[in-house]
Amino acid sequence: MSRSMRVLMLWVAELHVLHLVCLGYVTCTCTMPDVYLVCFVSVQFFPNGHAVATGSDDATCRLFDIRADQELVTYAHDNIICGITSVAFSKSGRLLFAGYDDFNCNIWDTLRGERVGVLAGHDNRVSCLGVTEDGMAVCTGSWDSFLKIWN
């Protein structure tokens, strides 16, 4: 099981702090702005383990630096108004894949903060996704009962 699957996130609203708890111990604490009181649906550690990406119902992905204790970038687009169901990094971490309720998987450039592609082809929401260990393919799973492999 990957580290992201073992992550339990607890929002402590009165302290405005996001605690990421992994295997029973706190791995990081990130201060959150008051306006970001939304439900995180998906979490994925950056390949080097020094950052974490989140996907949420407010149609944004966010990248947090664990060591600096701050948000680095928000990945969003005016045309995207649906929630995010899953996130995964490419092997290098340069790309962030995000599955959405609008049946698509958007690809974000983590350095530039821009959308660089869309994987479209499902007939229902993308419920999960994963990147192969060698980084050569992405698999998306959907409520349409299909898995699609993209390379």
Side-chain angles (χ1 to χ4, degrees):
M1 183 180 291
S2 71
R3 286 174 58 182
S4 63
M5 296 174 90
R6 295 180 184 171
V7 171
L8 169 65
M9 296 188 345
L10 304 172
W11 173 255
V12 183
E14 59 274 9
L15 299 176
H16 303 289
V17 172
L18 168 72
H19 295 282
L20 297 176
V21 180
C22 182
L23 300 176
Y25 59 91
V26 174
T27 57
C28 73
T29 303
C30 299
T31 304
M32 302 293 290
D34 292 341
V35 296
Y36 197 48
L37 295 173
V38 296
C39 175
F40 294 116
V41 177
S42 183
V43 178
Q44 179 70 47
F45 280 94
F46 193 78
N48 69 8
H50 298 298
V52 65
T54 63
S56 64
D57 284 335
D58 71 349
T60 64
C61 292
R62 295 171 188 257
L63 184 64
F64 296 94
D65 186 315
I66 295 171
R67 296 170 301 172
D69 190 26
Q70 66 181 353
E71 181 181 329
L72 298 176
V73 65
T74 299
Y75 306 99
H77 193 278
D78 292 339
N79 295 338
I80 302 173
I81 57 172
C82 61
I84 297 165
T85 59
S86 49
V87 293
F89 284 105
S90 63
K91 184 176 180 178
S92 68
R94 178 67 191 257
L95 300 176
L96 176 64
F97 300 92
Y100 288 79
D101 288 331
D102 68 355
F103 314 166
N104 295 320
C105 176
N106 288 286
I107 306 167
W108 300 95
D109 183 310
T110 58
L111 295 178
R112 295 185 307 179
E114 300 173 354
R115 184 171 62 172
V116 294
V118 178
L119 303 176
H122 283 290
D123 294 325
N124 208 324
R125 70 189 300 195
V126 174
S127 56
C128 59
L129 59 91
V131 179
T132 60
E133 277 193 36
D134 63 4
M136 298 302 293
V138 175
C139 183
T140 55
S142 169
W143 282 20
D144 64 9
S145 74
F146 288 100
L147 292 174
K148 294 190 181 273
I149 298 175
W150 313 82
N151 60 3

